[in-house]
Amino acid sequence: MEILELIREPWPWYIAGPLVGLTVPALLIIGNKAFGISASLRHTCAMCLPANIKFFKYDWKKEIWNMFFVFGILLGGVIAYSFLSNPNPIIIDGNLQTELAGYGITEIYGMLPEQLFSWESLFTLKGFFMMVVGGFFIGFGSRYAGGCTSGHAISGLSNLQLPSLIATCCFFIGGLIMANIILPFILSL
């Protein structure tokens, strides 16, 4: 098998999972750093907005590694999208297609339906709730919980932190409520 073919195919859980899991001890052993993404927003604000706000008054230069880590994720996503994308349409289960069609979502060609995630839909009530209100809740929630899903579910749980277990349980419960109760309501607007 060619290396490019290997990279393009989905990796099985028993390979991808340990690779993600080994990131946590590697960061701890190499630099005594905790894995997480949401802290990069705080570092960006502290770097770009040197205001007299207590939350942003710290030595962000010690955490510059996190900015490179996030930049690497962004760059990896751009490379994967540009060179490793599957040209075939995404296959969606017929039952889900029928359910989405009931909400007016019929054009699903990429990872995100353009009827929900586009500049045109941003100015609709449905798009505003999906992108602006949803983005606010994600940002607020990750800051209120002291970290995002990657920080708590991957790093916090591997360090046996009780707050991370509680936060991860709440993430899952919130995801179930969102997918089964709130999202159908928003899509019906």
Side-chain angles (χ1 to χ4, degrees):
M1 179 179 285
E2 207 177 301
I3 190 77
L4 195 54
E5 287 179 32
L6 179 68
I7 293 173
R8 281 189 175 160
E9 295 297 317
W11 291 5
W13 65 267
Y14 52 85
I15 294 175
L19 285 175
V20 171
L22 289 173
T23 303
V24 174
L27 283 170
L28 286 172
I29 291 169
I30 293 170
N32 196 26
K33 304 292 182 185
F35 179 75
I37 303 300
S38 63
S40 63
L41 179 60
R42 179 181 182 205
H43 305 325
T44 303
C45 291
M47 184 181 356
C48 298
L49 304 169
N52 195 16
I53 301 171
K54 184 180 177 186
F55 186 68
F56 296 130
K57 290 182 104 175
Y58 66 98
D59 189 9
W60 58 266
K61 293 176 185 171
K62 288 183 179 179
E63 303 298 328
I64 196 71
W65 72 272
N66 192 253
M67 301 304 290
F68 284 106
F69 187 78
V70 171
F71 177 73
I73 292 172
L74 178 67
L75 183 62
V78 169
I79 290 170
Y81 178 78
S82 300
F83 301 109
L84 303 173
S85 292
N86 186 344
N88 301 325
I90 294 174
I91 300 170
I92 296 177
D93 183 75
N95 293 332
L96 179 58
Q97 281 181 333
T98 305
E99 184 178 345
L100 290 173
Y103 296 118
I105 301 169
T106 55
E107 299 174 19
I108 305 170
Y109 304 112
M111 293 300 287
L112 300 171
E114 286 190 25
Q115 292 163 316
L116 291 177
F117 300 99
S118 66
W119 288 108
E120 293 81 27
S121 69
L122 176 62
F123 299 106
T124 65
L125 187 60
K126 189 185 308 187
F128 180 80
F129 270 107
M130 294 293 290
M131 290 185 273
V132 177
V133 176
F136 171 78
F137 278 126
I138 288 172
F140 176 79
S142 65
R143 189 66 259 155
Y144 187 73
C148 59
T149 52
S150 61
H152 281 297
I154 297 172
S155 188
L157 289 180
S158 66
N159 290 325
L160 304 176
Q161 295 178 7
L162 180 61
S164 291
L165 177 62
I166 294 167
T168 303
C169 290
C170 290
F171 292 149
F172 277 96
I173 292 167
L176 289 169
I177 292 169
M178 179 64 194
N180 294 296
I181 299 170
I182 300 171
L183 184 61
F185 172 74
I186 292 172
L187 291 177
S188 66
L189 293 175

